[in-house]
């Protein structure tokens, strides 16, 4: 209670002025409150800050759509981070759901990674679980990173869902991305030029609609495009180009909303010998034609259901087979991080589909298929200690000692690594010992 009184009491004038001068994210505001209360000087506060910074340097590589369920314990500061790459024209949506008796406030931050200096990612969007979902349009085709971190001293189960969506509506009424049959860059006129757009095939006189709210800037006829309509998208500083129309149903200067009809599908211009279709292009200010596919492509894939048992999160497990691969992401095609021996200890952090996200005793994080992981409910063996030995808090010679185990005491071996064994004494206390302590 003292902690919360210190953290949430009053309004510090310095903090108020800082918020006016520089707009802070929810995560930064919380950190400022920790600092104002001098809690950043405590061991717990320092650990929270360290975990926050470490997450930016050690994200898990993922592809979208992605869904993960995990657990944030109250007694151990944790953060989860994920790295992905999308194309300009797409937007990422991030939803975080929390479960628990006193669920924590969770800070969600999206960063853009500068390839010239990956150690200093740029915060481009943020939210917390007290507000709406985070949505962000990708401005540069660079790696992006999501960090998820809860406040201190509150526990709860989280589910994070990330999906990629187009920033524009589909430009042909009643159709989806399956109607696209000719793509950006395809050769035209015997290789003299390349296709500067996509072709969406539909029945003649199918309505062609505004993919964005904007102003019609041109309605004319050209030898190549036939009957065309140009629509200005001022928000993104670009123009949308609709060509080969059978009819134009708007006028220059007209303001339209998403879904308003601009014309009807046809094959005018140089498309007279082809089936009716819409040629759809995007021209960005100062750049020219760009690939419109990411702007309108609707991914039909949905994030898979989390199938692993959530009951084992925030606890130790062990590898159930020899030579198991720890992977960078939850896929058999993902890069291998290292090979784990039989009965190696793994801490179960979260689950994605039928994969566990695990942490090794020395901190490395990766994914292992669920069927390769055992629980530690059934010990590997019971042994009697040959000598008096320390029961350590972690698999580290410098770790704090929980208890001194007397010579002759019995312990149950739960998991093994080369230098340390995870054991439990008859009183139910769990920790680490050196394997040479057994007889």
């Amino acid at each position: 209670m003292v902690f919360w009184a210190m953290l949430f009491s009053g309004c510090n004038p310095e903090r108020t002025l800082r918020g006016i001068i520089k707009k802070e994210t929810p995560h930064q505001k919380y950190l400022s409150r920790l600092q104002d209360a001098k809690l950043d000087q405590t061991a717990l506060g320092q650990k929270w800050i360290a975990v926050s910074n470490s997450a930016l340097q050690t994200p898990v590589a993922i592809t979208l759509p992605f869904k993960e369920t995990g657990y944030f314990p109250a007694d151990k500061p944790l953060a989860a981070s994920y790295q992905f790459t999308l194309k300009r024209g797409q937007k990422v949506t991030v939803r975080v759901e929390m479960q628990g008796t006193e669920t924590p406030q969770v800070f969600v931050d999206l960063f853009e990674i500068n390839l010239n200096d990956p150690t200093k990612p740029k915060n481009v969007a943020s939210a917390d679980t007290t507000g709406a979902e985070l949505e962000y349009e990708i401005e540069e085709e660079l790696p992006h990173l999501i960090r998820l971190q809860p406040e201190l001293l509150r526990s709860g189960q989280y589910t994070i869902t990330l999906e990629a969506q187009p920033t524009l509506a589909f430009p042909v009424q009643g159709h989806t991305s399956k109607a696209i049959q000719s793509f950006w860059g395809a050769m035209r006129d015997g290789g003299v030029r390349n296709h500067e757009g996509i072709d969406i095939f539909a029945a003649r006189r199918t309505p062609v609609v505004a993919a964005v709210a904007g102003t019609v800037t041109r309605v004319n006829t050209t030898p190549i495009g036939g009957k065309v309509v140009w629509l200005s998208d001022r928000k993104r500083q670009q123009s949308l180009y609709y060509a080969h129309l059978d009819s134009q149903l708007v006028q220059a200067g007209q303001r339209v909303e998403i879904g308003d009809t601009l014309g009807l599908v046809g094959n005018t211009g140089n498309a007279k010998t082809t089936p009716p279709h819409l040629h759809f292009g995007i021209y960005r200010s100062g750049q020219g034609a760009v690939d419109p596919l990411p702007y309108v492509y609707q991914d039909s894939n949905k994030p898979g259901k989390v199938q692993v048992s959530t009951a084992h999160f925030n606890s130790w497990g062990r590898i159930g087979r020899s030579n198991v691969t720890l992977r960078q992401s939850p896929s058999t095609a993902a890069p291998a991080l290292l090979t784990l021996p039989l009965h190696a200890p793994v801490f179960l952090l979260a689950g994605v589909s039928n994969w566990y996200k695990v942490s090794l005793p020395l901190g490395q994080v990766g994914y292992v298929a669920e069927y390769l992981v055992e629980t530690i409910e059934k010990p590997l063996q019971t042994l009697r200690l040959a000598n008096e030995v320390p029961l350590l808090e972690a698999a580290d010679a410098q770790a704090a000692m929980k208890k001194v185990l007397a010579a002759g005491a019995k312990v149950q071996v739960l998991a093994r690594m080369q230098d340390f064994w995870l054991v439990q004494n008859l009183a139910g206390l769990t920790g680490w010992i050196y394997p040479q302590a057994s007889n």
Side-chain angles (χ1 to χ4, degrees):
M1 294 300 295
V2 173
F3 176 92
W4 295 112
M6 292 174 66
L7 186 53
F8 295 107
S9 63
C11 184
N12 186 300
E14 271 187 38
R15 186 197 319 147
T16 304
L17 183 59
R18 181 169 56 226
I20 294 173
I21 295 174
K22 178 183 178 182
K23 185 178 180 181
E24 294 180 315
T25 68
H27 186 280
Q28 290 168 338
K29 289 179 182 178
Y30 184 77
L31 175 58
S32 294
R33 285 150 66 185
L34 290 180
Q35 293 168 337
D36 291 342
K38 308 299 183 183
L39 294 171
D40 61 319
Q41 299 173 20
T42 66
L44 194 63
Q46 289 174 356
K47 178 65 175 175
W48 190 88
I49 295 169
V51 164
S52 170
N53 294 329
S54 176
L56 298 183
Q57 308 306 322
T58 56
V60 171
I62 63 169
T63 56
L64 274 52
F66 178 84
K67 185 175 186 177
E68 178 177 279
T69 296
Y71 183 80
F72 289 130
D75 59 345
K76 181 182 179 182
L78 289 179
S81 57
Y82 316 88
Q83 182 175 315
F84 59 91
T85 300
L86 296 180
K87 295 180 180 295
R88 177 189 284 170
Q90 293 181 297
K91 62 183 178 182
V92 58
T93 60
V94 185
R95 295 187 301 278
V96 179
E97 303 167 70
M98 298 298 301
Q99 292 182 1
T101 54
E102 292 187 2
T103 57
Q105 181 183 18
V106 176
F107 307 106
V108 186
D109 289 279
L110 176 65
F111 296 84
E112 183 181 87
I113 298 177
N114 185 339
L115 297 179
N116 294 324
D117 189 359
T119 63
K120 296 180 180 179
K122 174 187 175 184
N123 188 297
V124 293
S126 59
D128 61 34
T129 48
T130 62
E133 67 181 28
L134 185 151
E135 183 176 284
Y136 179 75
E137 290 191 16
I138 302 300
E139 296 180 359
E140 297 292 338
E141 193 170 329
L142 293 169
H144 284 72
L145 183 153
I146 283 283
R147 181 185 62 197
L148 194 65
Q149 185 174 20
E151 62 181 326
L152 284 168
L153 298 176
R154 292 272 181 91
S155 62
Q157 180 175 293
Y158 70 87
T159 296
I160 181 171
T161 306
L162 296 94
E163 294 184 88
Q165 298 176 346
T167 56
L168 305 183
F170 202 73
V172 178
Q173 188 178 91
H175 288 65
T176 68
S177 306
K178 293 180 181 179
I180 303 172
Q181 296 181 26
S182 182
F183 297 88
W184 168 269
M187 288 192 301
R188 291 290 188 268
D189 297 337
V192 174
R193 63 185 180 89
N194 292 329
H195 194 211
E196 290 189 344
I198 55 175
D199 290 340
I200 305 169
F201 287 78
R204 185 180 300 277
R205 298 188 67 78
T206 298
V208 167
V209 298
V212 67
T215 302
V216 176
T217 55
R218 273 188 282 169
V219 179
N220 59 347
T221 301
T222 67
I224 294 178
K227 296 180 179 180
V228 303
V229 170
W230 288 83
L231 176 61
S232 174
D233 178 7
R234 289 188 177 179
K235 176 183 176 181
R236 300 173 183 87
Q237 298 187 341
Q238 60 191 19
S239 292
L240 313 187
Y241 174 63
Y242 298 76
H244 306 319
L245 302 177
D246 184 80
S247 302
Q248 301 144 305
L249 302 180
V250 289
Q251 297 178 345
Q254 183 175 336
R255 176 74 184 176
V256 296
E257 300 298 327
I258 295 174
D260 287 351
T261 300
L262 304 179
L264 304 176
V265 169
N267 62 343
T268 57
N270 67 353
K272 292 179 181 179
T273 59
T274 68
H277 66 274
L278 169 69
H279 170 92
F280 180 71
I282 296 179
Y283 293 80
R284 290 184 63 87
S285 176
Q287 186 175 348
V290 297
D291 185 1
L293 184 64
Y295 289 81
V296 298
Y297 179 77
Q298 303 150 326
D299 190 351
S300 59
N301 294 319
K302 296 298 178 183
K305 181 180 178 181
V306 175
Q307 301 173 27
V308 302
S309 173
T310 60
H312 301 304
F313 293 163
N314 195 41
S315 65
W316 286 100
R318 62 179 177 245
I319 297 301
R321 298 191 185 184
S322 299
N323 301 320
V324 168
T325 302
L326 180 72
R327 297 197 177 273
Q328 189 178 72
S329 56
S331 167
T332 54
L337 297 175
L338 49 84
T339 300
L340 303 174
L342 178 66
H343 298 154
V346 288
F347 194 77
L348 308 182
L349 298 170
V352 179
S353 185
N354 57 353
W355 291 75
Y356 274 118
K357 182 181 182 181
V358 304
S359 174
L360 303 187
L362 298 181
Q364 187 164 17
V365 174
Y367 291 86
V368 178
E370 179 189 25
Y371 75 95
L372 299 172
V373 177
E374 296 178 348
T375 65
I376 57 172
E377 294 167 356
K378 183 179 180 180
L380 297 174
Q381 68 179 105
T382 299
L383 59 84
R384 188 180 299 274
L385 299 176
N387 304 294
E388 180 182 275
V389 296
L391 183 68
L392 302 177
E393 192 175 64
D396 187 335
Q398 304 301 317
M401 182 173 62
K402 288 186 171 184
K403 182 182 179 64
V404 174
L405 301 176
K410 289 184 177 180
V411 295
Q412 295 178 325
V413 179
L414 307 178
R416 300 189 186 103
M417 55 189 293
Q418 184 175 358
D419 298 324
F420 291 92
W421 287 0
L422 179 64
V423 302
Q424 186 177 74
N425 70 359
L426 298 184
L429 187 62
T430 301
W432 301 84
I433 67 170
Y434 298 105
Q436 60 266 34
S438 63
N439 58 9

